[in-house]
Amino acid sequence: EKVVTYETSELQLISEVITTVCSTGNLGNKHGLDECASLCNDAMCCFDREQIEFLNPNVDLILELEGITAEKLDTSTMGTCIDEGKHREHFCQVHASCKNILLLGSHYSGTDNLNDGVGDSASSGNYVVFGLFVAMIVVLTVYMLVFQRAGPVHAEVSRVRREINAAREGTATRDEMVEFV
């Protein structure tokens, strides 16, 4: 077996690419799933099947339902290179984000509604709808507070003005306490 050596900066670059491609946000669509599967196929040996199945008991079913076949991501090799020495240790560290595709659909993945094809825009759409709903409630509340009380306040202010004008003109006014509502 030919051993390929990489510089630390090359390993970091490869790791960053895999981390980006296999991020839970990118796994919310078919293209992202296929990209991650193609980058991670050789790294399946780095993951212990028992641990993955403990975290995601339906891993094989979910991958099948998402169209990730054994040709794209061969999970039968899981755990076969975990104890193969320092070279594989670096290889597995670089491919650590490949675990996200194996946790797809579990509560450890952080990805919901994988089949809707919308991804993160659905979440932002929900925030917009919620924001509009809250704004509508605020506007309605302000309307009810201001305009429902505007009639009695306006009438009371008009009465007070009449009494003040009557007092200036010297006409008799009632001696009663003015109460604002």
Side-chain angles (χ1 to χ4, degrees):
E1 178 180 328
K2 182 180 176 184
V3 176
V4 179
T5 58
Y6 292 98
E7 298 291 321
T8 303
S9 61
E10 291 172 319
L11 290 174
Q12 288 173 334
L13 180 62
I14 294 168
S15 179
E16 288 173 12
V17 168
I18 293 170
T19 299
T20 301
V21 171
C22 294
S23 67
T24 55
N26 196 42
L27 295 177
N29 62 61
K30 183 69 174 147
H31 180 70
L33 286 168
D34 288 342
E35 283 182 326
C36 182
S38 67
L39 285 173
C40 294
N41 191 34
D42 292 336
M44 287 297 101
C45 65
C46 297
F47 301 100
D48 180 26
R49 178 170 274 288
E50 287 181 16
Q51 181 189 30
I52 295 299
E53 286 181 342
F54 176 78
L55 297 173
N56 188 5
N58 299 318
V59 62
D60 294 319
L61 177 63
I62 291 171
L63 291 174
E64 183 181 333
L65 291 173
E66 292 296 336
I68 306 298
T69 61
E71 292 81 36
K72 291 181 187 175
L73 192 69
D74 187 8
T75 58
S76 68
T77 63
M78 289 176 71
T80 58
C81 66
I82 291 175
D83 299 321
E84 286 190 6
K86 194 144 184 91
H87 169 69
R88 282 295 184 182
E89 182 180 325
H90 288 299
F91 177 79
C92 291
Q93 287 173 350
V94 168
H95 289 82
S97 294
C98 292
K99 189 173 190 176
N100 291 338
I101 198 167
L102 296 172
L103 297 179
L104 196 66
S106 73
H107 65 278
Y108 295 101
S109 71
T111 305
D112 295 325
N113 301 324
L114 297 173
N115 292 318
D116 64 5
V118 179
D120 292 335
S121 63
S123 296
S124 62
N126 289 339
Y127 287 121
V128 170
V129 170
F130 180 72
L132 289 173
F133 180 70
V134 169
M136 189 171 70
I137 289 174
V138 168
V139 168
L140 183 63
T141 304
V142 168
Y143 172 81
M144 290 183 72
L145 289 173
V146 171
F147 292 110
Q148 293 295 326
R149 296 179 57 100
V153 170
H154 180 69
E156 194 68 26
V157 170
S158 297
R159 186 178 62 79
V160 170
R161 282 187 185 152
R162 280 193 306 272
E163 289 178 2
I164 291 173
N165 287 338
R168 284 185 190 159
E169 294 172 5
T171 47
T173 61
R174 295 182 295 179
D175 291 327
E176 56 184 72
M177 182 173 232
V178 176
E179 182 180 329
F180 287 93
V181 180

